[in-house]
């Protein structure tokens, strides 16, 4: 999940629509919330990469990656801090982290094709210090634990669209996050479906807001706002 279209590109993100308030049932169910959809997406992207060398889109754009790395640098996150990319997709963000010197980084995705794609891209870049694993974050293995930093760029959004009890899956996501992240560890989330206030509610148990990151603003019809929310939580 995520990243191959930093989750599907701007157009894909814009197509996600609400079907009620997040406080109730959340969003209208969508194929974008299913494993079958992302398996198909990454099978196509893997074939495209093998044939043409195209790594695919970056969900939320390159600036979204730069924004997160800037935050890590500004807060002097050690280069050997353990970092987990949740729903790594094509692994492009992992590549950027490695290029900036981070040496203890890992990416998981529940799509085997995504992990195969990210592995191929990482190999092409000549990098060898990145761990990859096929893993469902809602049911993490016991060895997935002790991370200083967890990063999500669109995976929580996709889970929110799952046709099969998305509300319960969101709760399980928070439980999994609490399990894999160290106490006082940081969770960096970028979302195009959830506002700051809604994310604060979703992650109210066991996490506190550390910082809100600046994101592009838009104006329309006399109103202005942010197209995405980017927050840093700290595990309490």
């Amino acid at each position: 999940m995520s990243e191959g279209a930093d989750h599907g590109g701007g157009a894909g993100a814009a197509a996600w629509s609400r079907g009620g308030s997040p406080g109730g049932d959340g969003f209208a169910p969508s194929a974008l919330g299913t494993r079958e959809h992302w398996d198909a997406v990454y099978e196509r992207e893997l074939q495209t990469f093998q044939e043409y060398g195209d790594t695919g889109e970056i969900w939320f754009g390159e600036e979204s990656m730069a924004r997160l790395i800037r935050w890590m640098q500004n807060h002097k996150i050690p280069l050997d801090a353990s970092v987990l990319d949740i729903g790594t997709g094509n692994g492009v963000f992992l590549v950027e982290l490695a290029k900036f010197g981070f040496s203890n980084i890992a990416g998981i995705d529940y799509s085997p094709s995504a992990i195969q794609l990210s592995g191929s891209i990482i190999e092409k870049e000549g990098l060898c210090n990145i761990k990859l694993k096929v893993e469902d974050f809602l049911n993490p293995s016991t060895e997935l634990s002790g991370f200083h930093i967890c990063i999500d760029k669109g995976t929580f959004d996709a889970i929110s669209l799952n046709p099969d009890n998305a509300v319960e899956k969101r709760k399980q996501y928070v439980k999994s996050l609490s399990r894999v992240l160290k106490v006082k560890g940081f969770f960096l989330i970028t979302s195009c479906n959830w506002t700051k206030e809604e994310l604060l509610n979703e992650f109210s148990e066991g996490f506190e807001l550390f910082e809100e990151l600046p994101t592009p603003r838009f104006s329309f019809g006399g109103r202005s706002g942010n197209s995405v929310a980017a927050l840093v939580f700290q595990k309490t």
Side-chain angles (χ1 to χ4, degrees):
M1 212 189 299
S2 188
E3 218 95 76
D6 193 34
H7 218 43
W16 299 5
S17 61
R18 290 181 186 272
S21 69
D25 293 334
F27 301 89
S30 167
L32 289 165
T34 65
R35 183 178 307 204
E36 291 77 14
H37 171 81
W38 294 108
D39 279 339
V41 166
Y42 289 117
E43 285 170 8
R44 290 195 301 270
E45 291 203 358
L46 177 60
Q47 182 176 357
T48 300
F49 177 76
Q50 291 171 338
E51 292 181 1
Y52 305 106
D54 183 2
T55 59
E57 297 181 64
I58 301 173
W59 206 10
F60 302 119
E62 292 185 4
E63 171 56 25
S64 67
M65 298 193 296
R67 181 190 308 127
L68 299 178
I69 292 174
R70 275 198 306 271
W71 182 88
M72 294 170 72
Q73 292 179 319
N74 290 340
H75 288 79
K76 297 180 170 52
I77 302 299
L79 293 178
D80 62 350
S82 54
V83 181
L84 176 66
D85 188 18
I86 303 169
T88 194
N90 61 12
V92 169
F93 184 57
L94 294 172
V95 170
E96 290 303 304
L97 286 171
K99 288 180 177 179
F100 275 88
F102 290 94
S103 60
N104 189 8
I105 52 182
I108 61 169
D109 203 295
Y110 65 15
S111 170
S113 295
I115 293 300
Q116 187 177 351
L117 172 62
S118 56
S120 298
I121 292 171
I122 288 167
E123 183 180 4
K124 182 181 179 181
E125 292 287 341
L127 301 170
C128 58
N129 61 337
I130 299 174
K131 307 178 190 73
L132 295 170
K133 187 177 181 183
V134 177
E135 183 111 30
D136 182 355
F137 190 66
L138 299 185
N139 186 28
S141 60
T142 54
E143 60 263 29
L144 198 72
S145 64
F147 287 93
H148 295 95
I149 305 280
C150 287
I151 295 170
D152 181 316
K153 298 200 303 97
T155 297
F156 188 72
D157 282 351
I159 288 172
S160 304
L161 300 172
N162 193 291
D164 183 19
N165 199 351
V167 174
E168 185 58 37
K169 284 180 167 55
R170 297 198 320 256
K171 292 178 181 178
Q172 183 57 50
Y173 180 102
V174 177
K175 290 179 183 177
S176 296
L177 179 63
S178 182
R179 177 175 148 187
V180 306
L181 190 62
K182 282 180 175 288
V183 174
K184 299 299 182 182
F186 294 105
F187 172 55
L188 286 64
I189 182 170
T190 304
S191 170
C192 63
N193 275 4
W194 298 88
T195 65
K196 170 187 174 182
E197 291 72 21
E198 291 163 352
L199 288 171
L200 288 174
N201 182 63
E202 290 292 309
F203 294 92
S204 61
E205 294 188 16
F207 300 89
E208 61 183 11
L209 180 65
F210 184 83
E211 187 173 345
E212 180 179 9
L213 303 182
T215 58
R217 294 182 63 82
F218 68 90
S219 296
F220 181 76
R223 301 180 65 182
S224 63
N226 294 81
S227 56
V228 299
L231 304 180
V232 179
F233 287 94
Q234 188 170 33
K235 181 179 174 181
T236 57

